[in-house]
Amino acid sequence: MGYLQTSSTSFKATKWLGFVTAVWVQAISGNNYTFSNYSDALKTLMNLTQLELNNLSVAKDVGKAFGLLAGLASDRLPTPVILLIGSIEGLIGYGTQWLVVSGKIQPLSYWQMCIFLCLGGNSTTWMNTAVLVTCIRNFRRNRGPVSGILKGYVGLSTAIFTDLCAALFADDPAKFLIMLAVIPFAVCLTAIVFLRETPPAATIEEEKEESKYFNLFNVVAVIIAVYLLAYSFIPNPSHVLSSVFSLILLVLLASPLAVPAHAFINSWNLNRFKNQEDVERQIQEPLLREDKTQEKIQEKPAEEAAKAVVERTRAVEEEKAVEVVKRRPVIGEDHTIFEAMSTVDFWILFLSFLCGVGTGLAVMNNMGQIGLALGYADVSLFVSMTSIWGFFGRIISGTVSEYYIKKAGTPRPLWNAASQILMAVGYILMAVALPGSLYIGSILVGVCYGVRIAVSVPTASELFGLKYFGLIYNILILNLPLGSFLFSGLLAGFLYDAQATPTPGGGNTCVGAHCYRLVFIIMAVACVIGFGLDVLLGIRTKKIYTKIYTSRRSKKLASASNLQ
């Protein structure tokens, strides 16, 4: 008995330790959003036009299209194998880019660079799939906070990499790329040891305990975000200050380890108390219990036993008969990918997701050139701001949307609708190009992009179930390469080149508000369309969220009555 209790204690601590390593994986898996930090070095080294550079950024996002492989693998391979595949891909993809930018090897041909950018982009789909699928299954009663925290750290990862590189390597693009190659590989090797699928919370008490721990994760994440934001505004920090900043940042990233430590101590104390009670019961009760069991067996007539067997057999046969006549799953039940794609709700979610993340990704991919066009020599601040405010959008929307489901059954898609309108306002501000509008616009776009990412993940799991969630999630993520191609590769690339002036060597450049004005206006219109789609989805799914609210409320009342 003592061994079983000890195993239970270790199991609970390991579950939370797995979540901590999942947070670390997400904190480094946003490397796909850092293209602006080294894109200018690639443009200069390879003598590219803006359209060619944008198509390189599309190539890294096309890597996400192959995330379907990660989705299929998530139902067949264990989490450690999926993480290992992603870490090796990232090491090869970003490692090769480092070799080119650092001058270790001669520049590769354009199509070869596309392949390695694609590899780097695809690596994150394996990491994200392994982490999201495993953690949402482990904490299915708190899907909103789980999605918000994990996706929030993805949003922070760009700022983490950017600020660390600025602090330690003075924004050297070659050293930035070696960070993108080596650090994710090392972190994934750590997660391989601890991240496993475990049974979810079975009681209201366990659910409340999870919520308390998630609140602690939220607090730590907000502290890290504010810390990164404050450092971004320090002009020309000294070497000593930069080193101190890096050390404190690493301590803050390690601080969530307090949660599994606290869970272990709590469980150990509780199990020790239960152990004492069990020993006392074993001394007093086992013989009596055995006698009672024997008496019940003897008292039960043979006819009743036979009748029970017949009824059980009949029930099994009826269940098999029902399974033969398969009905089509309704929204809220487990769907296969083909069943999900045959519903109107899936395509409404897919297209609205495209309007939000596609336009947001275009801004992130082009932030370097947008800043230069508007007269800013250093654009790393805007890259960091988009990342950090994207974190706030992710972490707040995950927790708030979960709270309002439990309180009033508010459909999650309505939060996406609100974000689309704010994003449209951000694009209009950047199109007007008044002094300071890029600061406000990058904040609004970052927040709304974060909301879109964090809310859509649990929404998909609630509408189409968790059984095939890995594949369904990666179908939705196809919007990243599709949106990047439409809004960044085609729209922004063509319109920028139409305004740009050719430069010696084959490249081009554009300076002025006119360079991206039409791009921003078209993306604002796309966001208004996305708003309409999200409102429609909120109306169509109102019943399922009312059902979730009613179910959780009844369980809560039942638990309260049992305590009385």
Side-chain angles (χ1 to χ4, degrees):
M1 175 66 78
Y3 170 76
L4 291 175
Q5 295 291 2
T6 304
S7 298
S8 174
T9 302
S10 302
F11 168 79
K12 190 171 184 180
T14 303
K15 179 179 181 177
W16 284 106
L17 187 56
F19 186 74
V20 172
T21 59
V23 164
W24 290 344
V25 171
Q26 294 297 80
I28 51 81
S29 64
N31 45 20
N32 207 39
Y33 298 111
T34 61
F35 184 72
S36 293
N37 287 331
Y38 59 93
S39 61
D40 201 49
L42 285 176
K43 185 177 183 180
T44 303
L45 186 69
M46 300 177 67
N47 291 320
L48 303 176
T49 65
Q50 188 62 33
L51 180 60
E52 289 171 331
L53 182 67
N54 281 4
N55 285 334
L56 270 187
S57 73
V58 171
K60 74 174 175 58
D61 294 322
V62 165
K64 291 185 177 294
F66 295 100
L68 292 175
L69 298 175
L72 289 168
S74 68
D75 296 326
R76 294 166 176 81
L77 298 177
T79 300
V81 176
I82 298 173
L83 282 171
L84 184 61
I85 293 171
S87 63
I88 292 173
E89 265 197 310
L91 186 64
I92 295 171
Y94 288 104
T96 304
Q97 294 176 61
W98 166 72
L99 291 173
V100 171
V101 173
S102 64
K104 303 291 183 184
I105 62 174
Q106 290 296 319
L108 301 177
S109 64
Y110 188 79
W111 70 269
Q112 288 174 324
M113 286 299 294
C114 285
I115 289 174
F116 286 108
L117 278 158
C118 185
L119 271 178
N122 184 246
S123 67
T124 61
T125 66
W126 293 86
M127 299 177 196
N128 291 339
T129 299
V131 164
L132 278 172
V133 172
T134 303
C135 290
I136 283 186
R137 286 175 178 169
N138 288 353
F139 303 99
R140 61 186 66 191
R141 290 175 180 265
N142 284 284
R143 300 181 197 188
V146 167
S147 175
I149 291 167
L150 294 179
K151 286 298 183 182
Y153 273 95
V154 174
L156 280 183
S157 64
T158 303
I160 290 171
F161 278 125
T162 301
D163 287 353
L164 276 179
C165 185
L168 300 176
F169 308 120
D171 288 324
D172 185 330
K175 291 178 179 176
F176 186 81
L177 280 166
I178 196 65
M179 287 175 61
L180 297 186
V182 174
I183 293 177
F185 181 75
V187 171
C188 284
L189 290 184
T190 304
I192 283 170
V193 179
F194 299 105
L195 187 58
R196 297 285 189 279
E197 192 166 325
T198 58
T203 64
I204 295 296
E205 289 72 24
E206 288 181 75
E207 183 181 348
K208 288 180 179 178
E209 184 183 40
E210 286 182 0
S211 297
K212 289 179 182 177
Y213 285 139
F214 285 134
N215 288 336
L216 183 58
F217 277 102
N218 283 335
V219 169
V220 172
V222 169
I223 291 172
I224 293 173
V226 172
Y227 182 67
L228 289 168
L229 188 62
Y231 180 78
S232 298
F233 283 99
I234 298 176
N236 302 318
S238 65
H239 177 70
V240 174
L241 181 61
S242 298
S243 300
V244 171
F245 159 79
S246 302
L247 180 61
I248 295 175
L249 178 60
L250 294 176
V251 171
L252 288 174
L253 289 171
S255 62
L257 285 170
V259 171
H262 185 268
F264 178 83
I265 294 170
N266 266 7
S267 298
W268 187 78
N269 288 332
L270 183 61
N271 286 335
R272 188 176 61 171
F273 176 73
K274 287 182 178 179
N275 232 3
Q276 293 173 353
E277 287 187 342
D278 289 342
V279 170
E280 292 175 1
R281 287 176 184 169
Q282 286 172 8
I283 294 172
Q284 297 174 0
E285 296 180 6
L287 293 176
L288 296 173
R289 190 178 298 159
E290 188 175 339
D291 290 342
K292 288 179 181 178
T293 306
Q294 291 294 334
E295 287 174 8
K296 287 181 181 178
I297 292 173
Q298 290 173 2
E299 288 173 1
K300 191 169 183 178
E303 292 88 3
E304 288 183 13
K307 186 177 180 182
V309 171
V310 171
E311 288 177 354
R312 195 179 301 115
T313 304
R314 187 183 303 157
V316 170
E317 289 174 352
E318 287 175 355
E319 286 177 5
K320 288 181 179 178
V322 170
E323 287 177 1
V324 171
V325 184
K326 264 195 169 183
R327 65 177 179 82
R328 187 174 178 179
V330 297
I331 293 298
E333 297 178 345
D334 286 326
H335 287 62
T336 66
I337 185 60
F338 297 109
E339 288 168 342
M341 292 176 69
S342 66
T343 64
V344 174
D345 298 295
F346 178 85
W347 291 109
I348 295 175
L349 179 62
F350 185 90
L351 293 174
S352 67
F353 195 63
L354 174 64
C355 293
V357 300
T359 57
L361 197 58
V363 171
M364 294 177 190
N365 286 341
N366 289 273
M367 185 58 78
Q369 283 66 46
I370 292 171
L372 292 174
L374 295 179
Y376 296 94
D378 183 10
V379 297
S380 61
L381 173 62
F382 299 109
V383 174
S384 292
M385 284 181 63
T386 305
S387 170
I388 293 168
W389 286 102
F391 155 79
F392 284 116
R394 296 171 198 232
I395 204 164
I396 292 172
S397 63
T399 302
V400 170
S401 65
E402 190 74 26
Y403 172 79
Y404 277 99
I405 286 176
K406 293 176 180 178
K407 184 178 180 180
T410 305
R412 281 196 214 268
L414 295 183
W415 299 100
N416 282 334
S419 72
Q420 295 277 43
I421 286 297
L422 281 177
M423 189 176 266
V425 171
Y427 292 143
I428 294 298
L429 285 174
M430 287 192 282
V432 173
L434 294 174
S437 61
L438 187 57
Y439 289 96
I440 300 173
S442 61
I443 290 172
L444 287 177
V445 171
V447 169
C448 297
Y449 184 88
V451 172
R452 180 83 250 185
I453 290 285
V455 172
S456 296
V457 171
T459 300
S461 72
E462 286 157 352
L463 299 187
F464 308 112
L466 284 171
K467 189 173 182 180
Y468 303 101
F469 174 65
L471 187 55
I472 291 171
Y473 165 74
N474 278 285
I475 291 287
L476 285 177
I477 292 301
L478 284 176
N479 276 297
L480 294 179
L482 179 60
S484 180
F485 173 71
L486 291 176
F487 294 105
S488 182
L490 291 182
L491 181 67
F494 276 120
L495 293 182
Y496 179 96
D497 283 344
Q499 303 289 339
T501 302
T503 58
N508 63 13
T509 186
C510 181
V511 178
H514 63 285
C515 300
Y516 283 97
R517 180 170 289 133
L518 185 56
V519 176
F520 290 136
I521 292 173
I522 293 173
M523 292 197 299
V525 173
C527 285
V528 173
I529 295 171
F531 166 78
L533 291 171
D534 284 320
V535 170
L536 176 61
L537 186 61
I539 295 170
R540 289 177 61 89
T541 59
K542 175 64 178 174
K543 288 184 180 179
I544 183 61
Y545 284 101
T546 301
K547 187 178 179 181
I548 293 172
Y549 163 72
T550 304
S551 174
R552 290 182 177 180
R553 184 172 176 80
S554 62
K555 286 180 181 178
K556 189 175 180 181
L557 292 173
S559 176
S561 63
N562 288 336
L563 290 174
Q564 293 175 356

